[in-house]
């Protein structure tokens, strides 16, 4: 009984760490993945490097997108480096 009582504070610390640090981080990661999956042509994005541009092509087979950062200037970037989507385009009506 005495030995088990010594582990209760350690267990409580791990429980608090899970709910304050690990769980919110996992939720944020899932939201980011969902944002990347919903990425489509015409969306305006900001990369983690701070570059703003418009998505011109989404390559499904690879992990890349083409982004137009200036008139006639297109760059290929890795999807995971997209930080936020500024303006979403409306889906095409069927």
């Amino acid at each position: 009984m005495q030995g088990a009582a010594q582990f209760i504070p350690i267990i409580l610390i791990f429980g608090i760490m899970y709910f304050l640090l690990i769980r919110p981080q996992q939720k944020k990661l899932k939201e980011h993945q969902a944002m990347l999956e919903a990425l489509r042509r015409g969306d305006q994005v900001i990369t983690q490097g701070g570059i703003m541009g418009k998505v011109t092509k989404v390559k499904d087979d690879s992990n890349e997108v083409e982004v137009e950062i200036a008139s006639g200037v297109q760059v290929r970037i890795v999807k995971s480096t997209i930080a936020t989507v500024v303006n979403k385009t409306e889906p095409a009506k069927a």
Side-chain angles (χ1 to χ4, degrees):
M1 189 66 164
Q2 181 76 13
Q6 293 176 347
F7 288 111
I8 291 175
I10 294 173
I11 293 170
L12 287 174
I13 289 172
F14 280 118
I16 292 170
M17 292 287 283
Y18 174 76
F19 283 107
L20 291 179
L21 296 175
I22 298 169
R23 192 165 174 234
Q25 188 68 22
Q26 289 175 341
K27 183 178 177 184
K28 186 176 178 181
L29 181 64
K30 286 181 184 178
E31 289 173 355
H32 188 258
Q33 290 293 332
M35 178 194 68
L36 293 179
E37 291 298 321
L39 201 61
R40 69 178 75 224
R41 186 173 181 256
D43 290 348
Q44 288 186 339
V45 296
I46 300 176
T47 66
Q48 291 177 355
I51 298 173
M52 287 186 76
K54 184 182 280 190
V55 176
T56 57
K57 186 188 291 185
V58 178
K59 298 181 181 181
D60 292 331
D61 56 340
S62 66
N63 204 15
E64 297 177 351
V65 293
E66 278 189 17
V67 177
E68 183 176 23
I69 57 175
S71 182
V73 179
Q74 294 183 351
V75 293
R76 289 182 1 205
I77 60 171
V78 178
K79 274 187 183 180
S80 61
T81 62
I82 294 175
T84 58
V85 175
V86 179
N87 289 333
K88 282 296 277 170
T89 56
E90 294 297 319
K93 293 182 178 158

